[in-house]
Amino acid sequence: MKNYYTNLSAEILSVAQSNGDTTSLRRQLYFTRADKLEKNLNTDDLKKTFWINIYYAYFLIQKKEHVDQDRIKTFKRIRIAGTAISLNDIEFGILKKSTLRVGTIHFENIFHSKFVNKMAISEMDYRIHFVIQSITLKNIKFNFYDTDLLDDQLQETMKNFISQKLIKVPSFK
């Protein structure tokens, strides 16, 4: 299923991966109306595909811009539909269903913006955790996520992440 916004997210990611200029593509996202984005991302798979690609793209863009690594996830530098959001807003508000992280515990966050709440997936998918961790650890296997292949890509990312972690665990004898 081809969708303008998932294709745009994949294109932004592709340009970001090649260290190209994403300004005009990001401008398209900024001037998109929120209701139009919500209407076109009307399933969890479309939302996951779009937001994973956007997360990955903006993670790369901010690393290239030398954003402070300790604050890269909290800066509200991502502008979509006239709204400024952060990587944490995408991860915890949209992809992990509006959760608030307190230490290692996640609670439903009533303080997210209306935009984040509207964009949030309806059902939590535990595999998202592995995708986000793979992106931040630069251990990503796919150039972009595709709605038609999403389930297989999420499974593969999870398996790859777990197998890499099992290999790197030090043994204590």
Side-chain angles (χ1 to χ4, degrees), residues 91-113:
E91 179 179 356
F92 296 110
I94 296 171
L95 291 172
K96 291 185 177 176
K97 202 176 171 189
S98 286
T99 56
L100 172 67
R101 183 173 157 209
V102 179
T104 58
I105 301 171
H106 299 274
F107 299 98
E108 186 171 331
N109 188 348
I110 59 171
F111 300 108
H112 278 301
S113 68

Side-chain angles (χ1 to χ4, degrees), residues 27-91:
R27 190 173 294 126
Q28 287 180 48
L29 278 181
Y30 180 75
F31 288 109
T32 296
R33 291 189 349 250
D35 60 335
K36 190 172 184 179
L37 187 61
E38 183 181 6
K39 181 181 176 187
N40 284 284
L41 298 178
N42 56 4
T43 67
D44 273 0
D45 282 352
L46 288 169
K47 288 177 183 180
K48 285 185 241 180
T49 302
F50 175 80
W51 288 109
I52 289 169
N53 288 338
I54 291 298
Y55 184 97
Y56 189 10
Y58 277 90
F59 182 80
L60 294 173
I61 291 164
Q62 290 182 26
K63 295 234 355 143
K64 184 176 127 184
E65 294 173 349
H66 305 292
V67 173
D68 180 12
Q69 297 307 300
D70 295 331
R71 299 177 58 195
I72 194 169
K73 288 188 169 192
T74 58
F75 278 158
K76 292 194 180 278
R77 295 177 49 125
I78 302 165
R79 289 170 175 66
I80 298 176
T83 305
I85 59 176
S86 67
L87 290 173
N88 274 349
D89 290 331
I90 295 172
E91 179 179 356

